[in-house]
Amino acid sequence: MTVTVNVHQAKTHLSRLMERAHAGEQIVLAKAGKPYALLGPLPPSPTTRRPGRLSGEYVGPEILLPLPESVLDAWEGS
């Protein structure tokens, strides 16, 4: 359901309007009777992270090996 609300009413009842938008309602904010902006619910948040999901796919055990001296020298500016 879509409801049109004047800016003055929106400022007065912003908390209530946010609750309605969070519940899924779309609210059109009007300025001088003309539609100006849309207040609505956010899309659902992405799924939660699962640690270790990518383990072994992109980084192999060689990540734990010491760096060659030439690479260390480049990082240290020698």
Side-chain angles (χ1 to χ4, degrees), residues 10-65:
K11 288 193 289 185
T12 305
H13 303 289
L14 183 60
S15 294
R16 291 181 196 157
L17 293 173
M18 287 177 56
E19 288 296 325
R20 289 170 66 178
H22 182 70
E25 195 171 344
Q26 288 193 343
I27 299 157
V28 176
L29 302 176
K31 188 172 185 179
K34 295 181 183 176
Y36 205 74
L38 181 65
L39 177 64
L42 289 173
S45 60
T47 58
T48 57
R49 292 186 61 214
R50 291 179 299 169
R53 185 176 63 182
L54 299 177
S55 94
E57 267 185 65
Y58 298 102
V59 178
E62 60 274 359
I63 191 82
L64 300 175
L65 296 175

